[in-house]
């Protein structure tokens, strides 16, 4: 997106009227007329500068969609206002019982103008209209614009709840209709399909189930598909042995409370989707034909320990067994089937997947990232522990090496392992590990890598993204753009949608990098060339990119900017994660879910108890909207107050 000539930043010009005013006088007595006049002068300087932003960015405004024309202007007004520290003005306004300008996002100029008029009346001055610029967004219009844009992107809100609920669908949703139906019935308003996983066959299964669930439940549910974007992850590791382990559940005394459940089936045949399997063992189909419930399977495991499995259920494709002891099973182990009539049949375990040998990293050690796709491996050590060759692993997007320099931070696996770049060549990056567990942290293949101070330049849409778009435009209500960093990335997506005849498809910008966060105003102005638009706060990657200590500040700023642009926000990552995964929430995540009410949509990730998490979130959001609307506390009567 082209910026005004000679200006690399919206705020490159000084706000002279504010800077040249004398310092604010601290007074302990009544506020004088002179105090009011000085306060008005300061507000006028802010209002004038905010209004001139439209002139400086006339080209960008001219390209915004008609539905966003006023919203784009208001965004520029708000950004101009927030470039300056107005805390002293806020304090004086609060002392007068006036608005402290803390809720001006949706109607910036109208707020400033209303406060100015109140100050004039308070000082017995003539209320002037001379400084009023071309009208901005009025008070009642800001909320209405946001509501309209939210409906256009996310659909109508359910009865009694303003904030929508989005759920990331697991692979299971492609073959388990009951799961999708229960999610829709529980309160899922938007289903998210992540194109980084599964394929078009699975995606079509998910879409079909959503459409069927909408018909059965009578509830609406939008479908959004996220493009995978550039895959910046660790490459594969050297394969380990073809061995798997199962173990029963035990209580604190070590007694078995639930046996391990094992599925035996022909190679490539998965167990039924509605039953959990602790292990999947491929065996010949002709051997399966002779198995009956009540039979016993015996074998020597990889440790030469005698183990047995009791056959508890036989189905058409395979059978279920239960084991009360831990076992290590590897490819080729002989299984002996003992029938009830005393006959014995043998078979060998088919090809099992290779185990992955993780790279164990400790603080102070070196990890080499390389462009060579060769499998990664742990460090080579001498008998005394001395490192002969450092650990190494491939990077799936080596183009990022061009953007790196010594001293740049790096994080792996959602920040569990951190380091700093020590040297860079075209083929290798040497990283010193600066954060790991005391006994070493395990790094596996296909784990995310974050370079907070580097920018993925000129990537935008990958070849996979373009191929996935062909499916997406026919089946989804909106597209999520991952790792968006520059306005050109957004414009490329808009162009590709236009080529496919879907230029009005909803676009969600996923803000998950430091550069994306820093460029948010420009990304919004670029996205507002089409309608509808939304923003997802991808708090997982954003926390790593910006630093955990700054995440709360970053997500607040994103909420403010998007409200100023009247663009709906999706609050994402780890919302009620413990509840979705274990069935029991933490106290902290309940508070986090309550704070999410300030967004227009909240996203839950997959987990065994995700349907329960939807119900809990639905209840939290319904309760919180009685107390909070965006940044404004709503003064509903409190039962705790009682009779006073």
């Amino acid at each position: 997106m082209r910026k005004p000539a000679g200006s690399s930043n919206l705020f490159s010009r000084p706000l002279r009227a504010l800077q040249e005013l004398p310092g604010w006088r601290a007074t302990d007595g009544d506020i004088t007329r002179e105090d009011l006049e000085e306060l008005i002068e300061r507000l006028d300087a802010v209002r004038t500068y905010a209004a001139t932003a439209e002139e400086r960015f006339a080209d960008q405004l001219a390209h915004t969609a008609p539905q966003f024309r006023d919203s784009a202007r208001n965004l520029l007004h708000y950004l101009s206002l927030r470039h300056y520290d107005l805390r002293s003005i806020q304090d004086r306004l609060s002392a007068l019982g006036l608005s402290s300008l803390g809720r001006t996002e949706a109607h910036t100029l109208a707020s400033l103008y209303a406060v100015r008029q109140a100050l004039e009346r308070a000082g017995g001055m003539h209320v002037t209209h001379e400084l009023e610029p071309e009208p901005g967004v009025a008070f009642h219009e800001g909320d209405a614009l946001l509501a309209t844009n939210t409906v256009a992107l996310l659909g109508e809100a359910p009865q009694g709840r303003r904030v929508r609920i989005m759920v990331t669908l697991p692979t299971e949703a492609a073959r388990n209709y009951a799961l999708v139906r229960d999610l829709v019935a529980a309160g899922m308003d938007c289903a998210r399909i992540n194109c980084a996983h599964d394929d078009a066959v699975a995606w079509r299964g998910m879409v079909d189930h959503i459409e069927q669930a909408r018909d059965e439940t009578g509830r609406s549910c939008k479908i959004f598909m996220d493009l995978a974007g550039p895959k910046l992850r660790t490459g594969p590791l050297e394969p380990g042995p073809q061995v798997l382990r199962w173990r029963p559940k035990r209580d604190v005394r070590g007694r078995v409370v639930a046996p391990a459940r094992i599925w035996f089936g022909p190679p490539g045949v998965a167990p039924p989707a509605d039953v959990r399997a602790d292990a999947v063992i491929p065996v010949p189909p002709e051997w399966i034909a002779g198995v009956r419930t009540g039979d016993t399977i015996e074998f020597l495991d990889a440790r030469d320990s005698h183990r047995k499995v009791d056959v508890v259920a036989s189905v058409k494709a395979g059978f279920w067994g239960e084991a009360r002891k831990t076992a290590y099973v590897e490819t080729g182990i002989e299984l002996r089937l003992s029938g009830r009539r005393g006959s014995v049949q043998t078979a060998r375990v088919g090809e099992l997947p290779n185990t992955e040998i993780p790279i164990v990293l400790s603080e102070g050690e070196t990890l080499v990232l390389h462009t060579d796709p060769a499998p990664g491996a742990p460090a080579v050590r001498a008998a005394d522990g001395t490192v002969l060759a450092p650990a190494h692993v491939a990077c799936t997007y080596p183009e990022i090496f061009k953007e790196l320099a010594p001293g740049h931070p790096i994080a792996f696996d959602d920040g569990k392992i951190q380091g700093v770049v020590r040297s860079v060549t075209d083929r290798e990056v040497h990283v010193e590990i600066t954060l790991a567990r005391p006994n070493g942290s395990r790094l596996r293949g296909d784990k995310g890598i974050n370079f907070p101070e580097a920018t993925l330049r000129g990537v935008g849409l990958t070849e996979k993204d373009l191929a996935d778009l062909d499916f997406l435009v026919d089946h989804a209500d909106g597209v999520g753009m991952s790792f968006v960093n520059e306005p050109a990335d957004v414009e490329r997506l808009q162009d590709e949608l236009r080529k496919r005849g879907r230029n009005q498809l909803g676009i969600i910008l996923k803000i998950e990098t430091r550069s994306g966060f820093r460029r948010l105003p420009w990304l919004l102005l670029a996205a507002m060339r089409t309608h509808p638009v939304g923003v997802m706060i991808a708090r997982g990657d954003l926390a790593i990119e910006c630093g955990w200590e700054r995440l709360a500040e970053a997500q607040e700023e994103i909420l403010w900017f998007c409200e100023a642009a009247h663009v709906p926000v999706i609050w994402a990552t780890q919302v009620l994660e413990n509840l979705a995964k274990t069935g029991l929430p933490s106290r902290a995540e309940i508070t986090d879910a309550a704070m999410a009410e300030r967004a227009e949509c909240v996203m839950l990730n997959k987990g065994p108890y995700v349907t329960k998490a939807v119900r809990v979130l639905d209840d939290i959001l319904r309760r919180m909207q009685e107390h909070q609307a965006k940044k404004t506390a709503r003064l509903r009567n409190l039962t705790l107050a009682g009779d006073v």
Side-chain angles (χ1 to χ4, degrees):
M1 178 176 292
R2 186 174 63 84
K3 299 179 184 179
S7 174
S8 61
N9 189 297
L10 169 63
F11 309 110
S12 59
R13 306 182 185 183
L15 188 50
R16 191 180 305 277
L18 270 184
Q19 293 177 339
E20 292 184 353
L21 285 172
W24 192 265
R25 297 182 304 280
T27 58
D28 296 326
D30 295 336
I31 297 177
T32 66
R33 181 185 176 99
E34 184 180 6
D35 293 331
L36 295 176
E37 289 175 345
E38 184 176 344
L39 187 52
I40 289 171
E41 188 176 359
R42 288 173 177 261
L43 287 177
D44 284 346
V46 175
R47 292 174 65 246
T48 300
Y49 186 72
T52 59
E54 294 183 36
E55 301 173 9
R56 300 194 299 278
F57 289 85
D59 183 53
Q60 284 85 343
L61 293 176
H63 288 86
T64 56
Q67 301 95 323
F68 278 129
R69 195 65 50 78
D70 290 339
S71 301
R73 293 170 56 220
N74 189 74
L75 172 62
L76 294 175
H77 300 160
Y78 181 71
L79 291 169
S80 300
L81 172 72
R82 291 306 309 271
H83 185 62
Y84 296 94
D85 190 340
L86 302 176
R87 285 175 291 181
S88 62
I89 293 180
Q90 283 187 288
D91 293 341
R92 303 301 283 180
L93 291 175
S94 296
L96 291 168
L98 299 176
S99 167
S100 66
L101 304 177
R103 294 186 294 274
T104 64
E105 287 81 6
H107 33 69
T108 302
L109 284 189
S111 298
L112 290 171
Y113 186 56
V115 171
R116 187 189 197 285
Q117 288 186 319
L119 288 171
E120 289 176 323
R121 292 189 179 96
M125 308 173 199
H126 171 68
V127 179
T128 179
H129 296 268
E130 295 177 359
L131 292 176
E132 176 65 2
E134 181 181 356
V137 175
F139 283 99
H140 66 280
E141 292 176 334
D143 292 341
L145 285 170
L146 177 57
T148 298
N149 293 335
T150 301
V151 170
L153 181 72
L154 303 173
E156 294 286 349
Q159 184 68 32
R161 170 161 54 80
R162 180 189 69 85
V163 179
R164 283 70 164 174
I165 296 176
M166 178 181 287
V167 179
T168 300
L169 296 183
T171 301
E172 182 186 356
R175 58 180 185 268
N176 186 349
Y177 167 66
L179 170 63
V180 178
R181 179 201 59 210
D182 292 346
L183 286 171
V184 174
M188 178 175 71
D189 307 296
C190 307
R192 173 179 174 259
I193 298 173
N194 189 352
C195 293
H197 303 289
D198 305 313
D199 54 26
V201 174
W203 303 336
R204 183 55 192 261
M206 296 177 192
V207 171
D208 289 345
H209 286 164
I210 295 166
E211 292 175 347
Q212 184 180 349
R214 288 192 294 217
D215 293 338
E216 182 177 342
T217 64
R219 294 192 74 254
S220 64
C221 182
K222 292 278 191 177
I223 299 173
F224 293 92
M225 297 185 69
D226 278 9
L227 299 175
K231 192 175 182 181
L232 189 53
R233 308 182 77 83
T234 55
L237 303 184
E238 286 185 349
Q242 294 176 304
V243 62
L244 60 77
R245 179 190 67 175
W246 70 62
R247 59 181 177 182
K249 291 184 178 179
R250 301 177 183 273
D251 62 16
V252 293
R253 293 185 174 88
R255 296 178 296 194
V256 174
V257 295
R261 194 169 180 85
I262 301 101
W263 167 257
F264 293 83
V269 176
D274 57 343
V275 182
R276 174 186 58 83
D278 294 307
V280 175
I281 305 296
V283 290
E286 60 272 16
W287 188 69
I288 295 173
V291 177
R292 300 291 183 271
T293 301
D295 290 350
T296 300
I297 299 171
E298 298 182 76
F299 60 95
L300 291 177
D301 76 355
R303 303 170 300 167
D304 290 331
S305 297
H306 180 266
R307 292 292 181 260
K308 71 175 184 175
V309 177
D310 297 320
V311 178
V312 296
S314 182
V315 296
K316 184 177 181 180
F319 62 90
W320 288 100
E322 290 185 349
R324 302 184 66 82
K325 289 187 177 181
T326 299
Y328 291 79
V329 179
E330 61 184 344
T331 299
I333 278 183
E334 184 180 72
L335 305 176
R336 297 172 58 85
L337 174 67
S338 301
R340 287 171 292 178
R341 297 182 180 180
S343 61
V344 176
Q345 302 178 50
T346 63
R348 292 193 179 276
V349 173
E351 290 288 325
L352 295 172
N354 293 97
T355 57
E356 185 180 68
I357 301 177
I359 298 173
V360 180
L361 298 168
S362 299
E363 292 182 8
E365 294 185 344
T366 295
L367 173 68
V368 178
L369 295 178
H370 48 75
T371 60
D372 188 336
V380 177
R381 299 179 183 274
D384 62 357
T386 303
V387 175
L388 302 177
H392 66 92
V393 68
C395 175
T396 59
Y397 191 77
E399 290 84 352
I400 191 67
F401 290 8
K402 301 174 184 176
E403 307 296 331
L404 299 180
H408 277 187
I410 182 173
F412 300 91
D413 194 9
D414 293 332
K416 297 182 180 67
I417 303 171
Q418 297 180 24
V420 62
V421 173
R422 290 306 181 203
S423 64
V424 183
T425 69
D426 292 341
R427 303 178 63 85
E428 290 186 346
V429 175
H430 287 241
V431 178
E432 179 186 343
I433 302 303
T434 57
L435 176 66
R437 292 179 178 273
N439 295 324
S441 294
R442 297 186 174 192
L443 179 64
R444 300 183 181 275
D446 199 35
K447 293 300 181 181
I449 310 176
N450 291 86
F451 294 98
E453 294 184 7
T455 300
L456 294 172
R457 299 184 187 276
V459 178
L461 301 175
T462 66
E463 291 301 317
K464 172 177 166 51
D465 293 337
L466 294 175
D468 292 344
L469 265 182
D470 294 332
F471 177 94
L472 186 153
V473 295
D474 292 330
H475 299 91
D477 299 297
V479 52
M481 189 172 194
S482 301
F483 301 104
V484 57
N485 287 299
E486 300 176 350
D489 299 337
V490 183
E491 293 168 2
R492 172 79 187 284
L493 175 59
Q494 292 168 329
D495 291 342
E496 292 296 334
L497 292 176
R498 190 175 297 109
K499 292 178 184 177
R500 292 163 174 78
R502 292 299 306 274
N503 56 302
Q504 297 304 313
L505 192 72
I507 294 176
I508 296 175
L509 307 180
K510 295 175 63 179
I511 306 303
E512 49 196 328
T513 66
R514 184 184 297 188
S515 57
F517 170 64
R518 286 174 172 171
R519 294 182 174 91
L520 180 58
W522 318 122
L523 297 176
L524 285 171
L525 287 172
M528 292 162 78
R529 299 195 316 167
T530 57
H531 184 269
V533 170
V535 165
M536 178 181 287
I537 310 178
R539 301 184 301 164
D541 282 300
L542 193 60
I544 300 169
E545 292 274 327
C546 294
W548 295 101
E549 65 280 358
R550 205 190 162 200
L551 174 62
E553 182 182 5
Q555 69 187 18
E556 290 300 301
E557 291 187 22
I558 295 173
L559 283 168
W560 299 338
F561 292 157
C562 290
E563 186 179 0
H566 310 125
V567 166
V569 173
I570 302 166
W571 182 284
T573 312
Q574 292 186 315
V575 179
L576 296 180
E577 182 162 320
N578 284 343
L579 175 57
K581 289 185 176 179
T582 69
L584 189 66
S586 69
R587 293 169 179 82
E589 69 184 20
I590 291 294
T591 301
D592 177 61
M595 291 291 289
E597 194 275 334
R598 293 172 304 151
E600 282 64 52
C601 183
V602 184
M603 191 187 85
L604 296 172
N605 276 326
K606 53 196 174 185
Y609 302 93
V610 67
T611 304
K612 179 180 179 181
V614 171
R615 295 192 186 99
V616 171
L617 181 59
D618 175 78
D619 182 68
I620 291 172
L621 294 174
R622 289 176 187 275
R623 292 174 183 274
M624 285 305 300
Q625 72 181 20
E626 299 297 320
H627 300 284
Q628 191 81 19
K630 301 297 282 184
K631 289 168 61 178
T632 303
R634 301 179 64 84
L635 301 181
R636 195 204 77 177
N637 63 305
L638 298 178
T639 56
L640 292 177
D643 295 327
V644 293

